[in-house]
Amino acid sequence: MAIFLILAPYGAFTFLMLMTSATISVFVASATCLATAAIDVVRGRSLKILAMGSALLFAAIGLHLALFDPALGTLGVKLSVDIGIFVISLGSMLVRRPFTLQYAVESVPAETAAMPGFLYANYVITGAWTAAALLMAAANLVLLYVPGLPLWSSLAVAFAARNSAIYFTKWYPEYRQIKYGAPASPMSNSR
């Protein structure tokens, strides 16, 4: 369930980009981020760096589209979102609070969260999501500057990068548990 809530704003954005304007898509995605943050608060959980950063990112892109550049193309908007997610993800590691850590601490016992390898595991998993965002941004950038490429090529890269990061997020904690004998699960309850 946790993974669904985390990815819901991006799914809404992607789906709406196919159905309506980019401006509506980013504002709905921002509202979805705020809704997922509200769900966390209602459940007694903390506000998440990813949810709040994404809400601000989507809103900023929406304001830019509405006020300054309504003609920004679909690829430009997607590229902006991917770069923004990359910055949020990398930034969370640079300030020594990998974004997965907030989800992880809430889904494992306190003893597990206190283990030395727990923080490292979160850096690794956040790194996987950072790499996925970078790959998606690169695919959109290539598509933007090589217009002869088919659109599906960028979609295939985005699909593969996102699904690889999801798989890795589920696999890596299990791998660490087998290797080290103690769970280091950032999102073990998210299945």
Side-chain angles (χ1 to χ4, degrees):
M1 179 72 170
I3 278 279
F4 171 75
L5 286 176
I6 295 165
L7 295 177
Y10 312 102
F13 166 73
T14 302
F15 176 74
L16 288 172
M17 284 294 285
L18 299 171
M19 309 292 275
T20 187
S21 73
T23 305
I24 291 172
S25 300
V26 292
F27 281 130
V28 169
S30 181
T32 307
C33 289
L34 293 174
T36 61
I39 290 169
D40 276 343
V41 170
V42 166
R43 290 182 176 174
R45 297 179 181 152
S46 65
L47 287 176
K48 307 295 188 289
I49 293 168
L50 183 63
M52 297 312 296
S54 296
L56 291 172
L57 170 68
F58 284 124
I61 293 169
L63 288 173
H64 178 78
L65 288 168
L67 301 175
F68 303 110
D69 193 3
L72 184 63
T74 300
L75 282 176
V77 172
K78 287 181 181 180
L79 180 61
S80 299
V81 169
D82 291 340
I83 290 171
I85 298 303
F86 171 77
V87 168
I88 292 167
S89 186
L90 181 62
S92 75
M93 289 191 298
L94 292 176
V95 298
R96 299 178 185 233
R97 295 286 299 168
F99 78 84
T100 60
L101 186 61
Q102 291 177 298
Y103 300 99
V105 168
E106 293 175 350
S107 66
V108 297
E111 313 81 56
T112 302
M115 296 177 77
F118 187 76
L119 181 60
Y120 175 79
N122 278 278
Y123 273 105
V124 170
I125 291 172
T126 301
W129 283 99
T130 305
L134 183 61
L135 282 172
M136 290 186 283
N140 283 322
L141 191 63
V142 167
L143 200 57
L144 192 62
Y145 288 104
V146 185
L149 289 175
L151 179 61
W152 65 262
S153 61
S154 174
L155 295 173
V157 169
F159 182 80
R162 184 199 66 236
N163 286 350
S164 295
I166 290 170
Y167 175 79
F168 186 80
T169 299
K170 291 179 180 181
W171 171 82
Y172 189 69
E174 293 169 2
Y175 163 77
R176 286 192 58 88
Q177 184 176 12
I178 291 167
K179 185 172 181 180
Y180 299 107
S185 174
M187 295 188 218
S188 63
N189 295 338
S190 62
R191 291 187 191 156

